[in-house]
């Protein structure tokens, strides 16, 4: 067997030299990519934007031009709010995919395998937040991977997929695929191709490709569907691929749905609507306003983050009119003001404020509590805005995000209702505390996130245009019939006219329904947009929907735990959803390793390990496998055991197989032994049923589960409770367990999730319906 590839993705802050937009491998002994050593042989990118949800699939093949086996660091920076949804690395012709494990367990397995000098791969979430001894939150947004080995004169293939949401601002959307590096010469791909497919239930218009280096050709264009592609050789990746489009101002909501009738899962839907209020928006744009800008000059904002902050500040101030009032508060550990108070936004006053900020040094920590205290005092007039330009790092004052959020909520709510300022946040940098920034912007404002490598212009334009444009006080969705829809979540919180509001949720039964989106301002209904639809029995067209709903559900659980603290039931549900829909959370990790390393007793065809314990006199062991392979075993002194890895053919049938062992002792005597191993490639068969289909809160229910003989563990889980072990009952001749319906569980239809795992760690899953009645 060849030595396997290490794929170690870690959430950490990287040196600029390692930041790569298109994804590069930098040799271990180098600081920058070197195409004379490692060249990008092939790169293909597939971009699908479905109703504003982008799925980007990247395949890269790197070529080792040397006569040496190489190791290197793969680096990738993701755009915007993108999140890894899949990855794999190839060892020759074998694809090693990522599997989802609970974070702590993944870390344990990773350490165990690494200690055996076997190369696993680990990908952990960029969303995870760690705190140091002082409680200072640290975040990260980039990913790296250690890649080894890259065979001499050979190839290494890496596959990455990520998802992101493309916002609609003033009826316009912009997508950017970052390719241009930030610090070194652009890569050249010997073969490069990209395909783009944009589809939307709203009418598309003004589609424009901004990239000049890659002359994409539009191959299909209709009112709801656009396709474009490009392919070339020796392509220099010195420019990002970007395109813009607009949506027509449709007054009816659009409904998308996904349902796999064979899975036993519920259906998933997304309802979206363009928020309407053009007359009010025009009046708001010309009304005088007061803007107080909080400009972060703490040490964490140095270099590019500071430049982007100043670019944003200048755009905001130069967008004001003389009838507007403004001030700039520069803050780190202390707060200093450009003016004694808010003043008229004359060109001279704006120029002096910009000069004041240019002359302000970076120093100290970040006391966001003190900065907002002074901002609340200055932005006290009706129609005031507080705009924060920062990474949201907290090092002084209230430094725990939950505690600071509680203080902020209380301080904002103390103000008279008509004098509460709109809170705008531009979260700048790869390490921005996005969850905290979203919480701040939920106070009648908006947030934009700008990472280091993505263009700031589109988001900055939308951010500045929204200042003075009053959002709706409320945007509500009503789905009919109401008992057919469950766990509905809003995607984003932007309530401005001309933006797209969207919700995702589950539906229980296919059939007819209706959706109504209502906007509210000053306690009065402004618009009621309605549509009718038919939910499908089976429709696999919108593949993004199940995972999008699952991520929204996980985000809601994480926000709940931010406010109330961790609880076992929420963590268990996050882990379950992460594993089922294959995305990384703060509680889960991808682990890329031969599956046999995770299955030490029964094994699947693929890549198992044979381990033999012998007498101390034995000096060599050779294994003769039934499918013709002869393999020597290696002695592991620390464990006092002989071991070898072998490739079990994929067509090897399930069941017990015998391997013959030839053992030789130090005196030259030869012995022959036999050892059996079991191939188990199929998950256990599970049949579960409840003793009754309905129950009340607080009531106990019994569950019977029949499973294959090879089953090792069975667990059952009901929302709001911790998983329950289902055990064998000799008297009942089946596996039984008891669950308690949570007393706080509202009436409705739920599922009990039953998971069975066999000795080979094959997993089966069944959902048993339960109706909770009042």
């Amino acid at each position: 067997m060849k030595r396997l590839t290490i794929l170690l993705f870690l959430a950490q802050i990287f040196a600029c030299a390692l930041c790569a937009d298109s994804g590069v491998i930098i040799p271990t002994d180098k600081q920058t990519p070197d195409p004379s050593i490692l060249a990008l042989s092939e790169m293909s990118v597939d971009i699908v934007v479905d109703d504003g949800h982008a799925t980007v699939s990247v395949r890269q093949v790197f070529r080792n031009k040397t006569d040496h086996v190489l190791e290197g660091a793969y680096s990738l920076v993701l755009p915007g709010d993108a999140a890894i949804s899949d990855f794999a690395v190839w060892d020759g012709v074998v694809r090693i995919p990522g599997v989802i494990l609970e974070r702590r367990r993944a870390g344990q397995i990773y350490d165990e395998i690494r200690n055996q000098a076997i190369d696993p791969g680990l990908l952990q979430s960029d969303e995870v937040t760690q705190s140091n001894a002082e409680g200072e939150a640290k975040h990260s947004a980039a990913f790296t991977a250690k890649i080894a080995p890259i065979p001499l004169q050979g190839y290494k293939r890496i596959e990455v997929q990520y998802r992101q949401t493309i916002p609609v601002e003033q009826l316009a959307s912009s997508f950017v695929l970052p390719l241009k590096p930030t610090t070194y010469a652009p890569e050249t791909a010997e073969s490069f191709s990209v395909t783009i497919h944009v589809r939307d239930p709203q009418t598309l218009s003004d589609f424009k490709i901004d990239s000049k280096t890659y002359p994409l050709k539009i191959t299909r264009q209709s009112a709801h569907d656009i396709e474009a592609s490009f392919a070339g050789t020796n392509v220099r990746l010195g420019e990002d691929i970007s395109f813009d489009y607009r949506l027509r101002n449709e007054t009816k909501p659009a409904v998308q749905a996904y349902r796999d009738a064979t899975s036993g899962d519920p259906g998933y839907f997304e309802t979206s609507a363009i928020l309407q209020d053009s007359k009010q928006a025009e009046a708001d744009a010309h009304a005088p306003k007061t803007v107080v800008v909080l400009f972060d000059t703490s040490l964490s904002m140095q270099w590019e983050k500071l430049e982007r902050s100043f670019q944003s500040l200048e755009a905001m101030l130069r967008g004001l009119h003389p009838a507007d009032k403004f001030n700039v508060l520069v803050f780190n550990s202390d707060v200093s003001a450009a003016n004694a108070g808010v003043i008229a936004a004359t060109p001279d006053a704006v120029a002096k404020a910009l000069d004041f900020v240019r002359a302000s040094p970076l120093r100290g920590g970040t006391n966001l509590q003190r900065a907002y205290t002074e901002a609340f005092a200055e932005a006290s007039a009706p129609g005031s805005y507080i705009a924060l330009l920062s990474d949201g790092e907290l090092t002084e004052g209230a430094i725990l995000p939950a505690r600071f959020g509680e203080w902020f909520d209380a301080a904002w709510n103390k103000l008279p209702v008509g004098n509460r300022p709109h809170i705008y946040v531009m979260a700048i940098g790869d390490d921005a505390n996005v969850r905290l920034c979203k919480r701040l912007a939920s106070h009648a404002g908006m947030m934009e996130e700008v990472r280091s490598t993505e263009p700031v212009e589109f988001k900055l334009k939308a951010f500045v245009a929204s200042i003075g444009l009053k959002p709706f006080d409320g945007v509500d969705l009503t789905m009919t019939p109401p008992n057919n829809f469950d766990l509905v979540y809003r995607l984003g919180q932007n309530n401005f006219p001309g933006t797209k509001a969207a919700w995702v949720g589950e539906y229980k039964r296919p059939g007819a329904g209706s959706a109504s989106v209502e906007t509210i301002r000053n306690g009065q209904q402004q618009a009621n947009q309605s549509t009718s639809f038919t939910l499908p029995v089976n429709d696999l067209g919108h593949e993004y929907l199940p995972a999008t709903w699952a991520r929204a559900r996980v985000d809601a659980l994480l926000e709940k735990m931010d406010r109330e603290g961790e609880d076992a039931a929420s963590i268990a549900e996050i882990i379950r959803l992460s594993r089922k829909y294959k995305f990384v959370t703060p509680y889960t990790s991808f682990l890329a390793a031969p599956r046999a390393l995770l299955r030490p007793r029964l094994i699947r065809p693929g890549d198992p390990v044979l381990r033999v314990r012998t007498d101390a006199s034995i000096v060599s062991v050779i294994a003769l496998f039934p499918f013709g392979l002869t393999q020597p075993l290696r002695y592991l002194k620390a464990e006092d055991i002989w071991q070898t890895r072998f490739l079990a053919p994929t067509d090897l049938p399930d069941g017990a197989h015998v391997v013959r062992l030839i053992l030789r002792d130090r005196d030259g005597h030869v012995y022959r032994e036999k050892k059996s191993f079991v191939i188990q490639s199929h998950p256990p068969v599970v049949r579960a049923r409840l003793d009754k289909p309905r129950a009340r809160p607080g009531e106990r229910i019994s569950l019977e589960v029949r499973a294959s003989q090879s089953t090792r563990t069975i667990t059952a889980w009901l929302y709001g409770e911790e998983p329950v072990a289902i055990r064998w009952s000799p008297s009942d001749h089946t596996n039984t367990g008891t669950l308690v319906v949570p007393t706080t569980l509202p009436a409705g239809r739920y599922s009990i999730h039953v998971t069975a795992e066999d000795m080979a760690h094959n997993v089966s899953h069944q959902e048993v319906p339960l109706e909770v009645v009042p």
Side-chain angles (χ1 to χ4, degrees):
M1 287 287 296
K2 297 178 182 178
R3 184 167 169 245
L4 292 181
T5 302
I6 295 177
L7 185 56
L8 173 57
F9 276 76
L10 293 174
Q12 59 181 349
I13 299 175
F14 308 108
C16 288
L18 288 180
C19 290
D21 298 52
S22 59
V24 298
I25 300 180
I26 300 175
T28 302
D29 58 348
K30 301 289 183 180
Q31 297 298 315
T32 59
D34 189 339
S36 67
I37 298 174
L38 271 174
L40 180 56
S41 177
E42 298 177 28
M43 182 172 179
S44 64
V45 184
D46 294 315
I47 304 166
V48 177
V49 181
D50 188 354
D51 196 11
H53 300 276
T55 301
V56 181
S57 302
V58 180
R59 179 175 65 86
Q60 293 176 290
V61 179
F62 296 89
R63 179 161 62 98
N64 180 357
K65 292 184 173 182
T66 73
D67 294 324
H68 308 284
V69 176
L70 296 179
E71 295 186 358
Y74 178 78
S75 180
L76 177 69
V77 178
L78 303 178
D81 63 346
I84 293 284
S85 57
D86 195 11
F87 79 97
V89 64
W90 288 71
D91 183 47
V93 297
V94 179
R95 185 181 190 269
I96 303 176
V99 295
I100 292 286
L101 294 175
E102 187 270 330
R103 174 182 281 274
R104 186 174 301 174
R105 177 60 180 151
Q108 291 171 349
I109 293 176
Y110 173 80
D111 290 336
E112 291 169 5
I113 297 173
R114 185 178 56 184
N115 291 337
Q116 298 175 33
I118 300 168
D119 300 336
L122 184 66
L123 166 60
Q124 295 181 341
S125 171
D126 63 333
E127 300 170 349
V128 69
T129 301
Q130 298 175 334
S131 298
N132 61 19
E134 290 76 31
E136 178 181 349
K138 294 294 183 183
H139 304 260
S140 178
F143 295 98
T144 60
K146 185 179 179 183
I147 305 296
I150 307 170
L152 56 93
Q153 298 295 332
Y155 295 85
K156 182 59 63 180
R157 175 172 167 176
I158 296 172
E159 297 174 355
V160 180
Q161 184 183 85
Y162 64 84
R163 293 190 179 100
Q164 69 179 121
T165 300
I166 312 301
V168 177
E169 307 283 358
Q170 309 300 312
L171 299 177
S173 284
S174 178
F175 174 87
V176 177
L177 174 70
L179 295 175
K180 180 181 178 181
T182 56
T183 57
Y184 44 74
E187 288 185 282
T188 296
E190 296 172 4
S191 173
F192 178 76
S193 64
V194 59
T195 62
I196 298 171
H197 187 185
V198 180
R199 56 177 180 257
D200 203 287
Q202 309 283 5
T203 301
L204 298 165
S205 65
D206 300 336
F207 182 81
K208 182 179 66 172
I209 299 171
D210 300 319
S211 310
K212 303 295 187 292
T213 304
Y214 324 100
L216 285 105
K217 181 180 179 181
I218 297 177
T219 56
R220 171 185 171 86
Q221 187 165 11
S222 66
H224 301 280
D225 208 324
I226 298 171
E227 294 182 8
S229 62
F230 166 78
T233 57
N234 297 320
V235 178
R236 186 173 182 269
L237 306 180
E239 183 185 16
D240 298 334
I241 292 179
S242 62
F243 55 85
D244 307 327
Y245 58 90
R246 293 183 63 82
L247 301 180
R248 196 167 70 184
N249 195 16
E250 305 279 4
T251 58
K252 283 190 174 183
V255 178
Q256 308 268 50
Y258 175 98
R259 188 172 187 264
D260 183 353
T262 65
S263 68
D265 292 338
Y268 301 93
F269 74 91
E270 178 181 20
T271 300
S272 60
I274 302 296
L275 301 184
Q276 309 286 322
D277 199 6
S278 58
K279 293 182 179 179
Q280 181 64 45
E282 185 176 352
D284 291 343
H286 294 88
K289 53 187 174 289
T290 298
V291 179
V292 175
V293 182
L294 295 178
F295 191 92
D296 189 348
T297 57
S298 60
L299 291 175
S300 68
M301 293 297 293
Q302 59 186 336
W303 312 122
E304 188 172 1
K305 287 198 287 185
L306 185 65
E307 295 177 5
R308 291 186 169 226
S309 294
F310 191 82
Q311 181 182 357
S312 302
L313 172 69
E314 187 169 16
M316 278 192 288
L317 297 189
R318 297 200 185 280
L320 297 176
H321 303 288
D324 300 325
K325 294 183 178 181
F326 83 103
N327 201 358
V328 180
L329 304 182
V330 173
F331 72 97
N332 37 66
S333 297
D334 299 316
V335 181
S336 57
N339 307 296
V342 293
I343 62 174
T346 63
D348 183 60
V350 167
K352 289 181 179 178
L354 293 173
D355 290 340
F356 171 82
V357 174
R358 287 191 188 97
S360 300
L362 291 177
R363 62 187 178 202
T366 310
N367 195 326
L368 202 54
Q369 184 176 7
R370 179 177 296 178
Y372 268 112
T373 299
E374 296 202 19
F376 282 142
E378 294 210 6
S380 57
S384 294
Y385 295 79
I386 299 177
L388 172 67
L389 304 176
S390 174
D391 57 11
E393 184 177 352
L394 304 172
T395 63
E396 297 182 19
I399 61 175
L400 296 177
R403 185 174 300 172
F404 175 79
E406 292 172 0
W407 171 86
F408 188 90
D409 293 344
W412 191 79
N413 288 325
K414 282 182 182 177
L415 299 172
V417 174
N419 293 54
R420 292 172 182 170
H422 302 277
I423 306 301
Y424 281 51
V425 182
M426 180 75 81
I428 297 175
D430 298 333
D431 56 350
N433 191 335
V434 174
R435 290 229 295 273
L436 175 63
C437 293
K438 284 182 178 178
R439 179 168 181 175
L440 298 177
S442 67
H443 296 75
M446 70 171 295
M447 187 207 78
E448 288 285 6
E449 176 190 2
V450 180
R451 293 191 176 181
S452 62
T453 56
E454 65 177 323
V456 70
E457 287 75 17
F458 178 82
K459 290 186 175 181
L460 180 57
K461 181 180 178 181
F463 188 81
V464 172
S466 298
I467 296 178
L469 183 62
K470 294 183 177 64
F472 294 106
D473 299 328
V475 178
D476 297 322
L477 170 69
T478 301
M479 301 290 289
T480 305
N483 61 359
N484 194 35
F485 303 96
D486 198 10
L487 299 176
V488 181
Y489 299 100
R490 173 85 183 268
L491 300 179
Q493 298 298 324
N494 195 334
N495 287 345
F496 292 95
T499 61
K500 183 164 72 172
W503 295 260
V504 290
E506 294 182 341
Y507 70 89
K508 303 170 186 176
R509 301 175 301 278
S514 64
S516 176
V517 176
E518 182 181 88
T519 52
I520 302 170
R521 192 191 297 278
N522 299 324
Q524 296 183 350
Q525 178 180 312
Q526 299 295 299
N528 188 3
Q529 303 167 245
S530 301
T531 191
S532 299
F533 53 83
T534 300
L535 296 169
V537 175
N538 190 77
D539 188 338
L540 308 181
H542 303 288
E543 296 180 351
Y544 71 91
L545 265 174
T548 299
W549 170 85
R551 288 193 63 87
R553 172 66 179 162
V554 166
D555 287 343
L557 291 171
L558 291 173
E559 290 174 5
K560 179 180 79 74
M561 290 193 292
D562 281 346
R563 297 189 305 268
E564 304 171 7
E566 292 184 338
D567 64 275
S570 295
I571 293 174
E573 186 176 2
I574 288 171
I575 292 172
R576 180 183 65 82
L577 290 172
S578 171
R579 296 182 67 176
K580 183 174 182 178
Y581 295 102
K582 201 173 183 182
F583 60 90
V584 181
T585 74
Y587 297 95
T588 54
S589 303
F590 278 118
L591 186 66
R595 291 181 178 274
L597 296 175
L598 311 180
R599 295 163 172 80
R601 289 184 286 271
L602 299 180
I603 59 178
R604 294 181 180 180
D607 191 16
V609 177
L610 176 67
R611 294 161 66 89
V612 179
R613 195 175 301 278
T614 68
D615 183 82
S617 64
I618 298 300
V619 295
S620 75
V621 181
I622 296 176
L624 306 177
F625 291 91
F627 42 86
L629 176 67
T630 299
Q631 191 89 339
L633 278 68
R634 183 166 63 95
Y635 180 66
L636 304 179
K637 185 176 181 180
E639 299 182 56
D640 188 26
I641 204 165
W642 294 83
Q643 175 179 296
T644 188
R645 293 167 56 205
F646 64 98
L647 185 65
T650 57
D651 58 353
L652 194 66
D654 285 8
H657 300 268
V658 175
V659 58
R660 291 181 294 159
L661 302 174
I662 300 176
L663 301 88
R664 183 172 60 86
D665 65 13
R666 63 174 61 95
D667 296 324
H669 299 117
V670 176
Y671 308 89
R672 288 175 173 82
E673 300 284 350
K674 292 182 179 180
K675 184 176 178 67
S676 64
F677 63 94
V678 177
I679 290 290
Q680 180 71 37
S681 62
H682 297 92
V685 177
V686 179
R687 296 290 184 269
R689 70 180 184 89
L690 290 170
D691 62 339
K692 50 190 174 185
R694 298 178 182 83
R696 290 182 170 84
E699 192 172 351
R700 300 170 71 87
I701 51 177
S702 297
L703 182 69
E704 291 185 2
V705 182
R706 298 188 181 275
S708 304
Q709 188 174 0
S710 61
T711 302
R712 181 181 65 168
T713 60
I714 305 173
T715 57
W717 175 84
L718 174 63
Y719 176 77
E721 288 293 297
E722 295 189 21
V724 173
I726 307 299
R727 305 187 187 281
W728 174 256
S729 171
S731 59
D732 297 326
H733 302 288
T734 189
N735 304 285
T736 63
T738 302
L739 297 88
V740 179
V741 180
T743 56
T744 58
L745 198 62
R749 293 185 179 272
Y750 298 85
S751 293
I752 296 176
H753 302 270
V754 180
T755 301
E757 184 177 5
D758 66 15
M759 299 298 290
H761 294 264
N762 297 295
V763 176
S764 288
H765 177 263
Q766 181 184 355
E767 295 185 2
V768 183
L770 172 68
E771 183 176 359
V772 176
V773 296

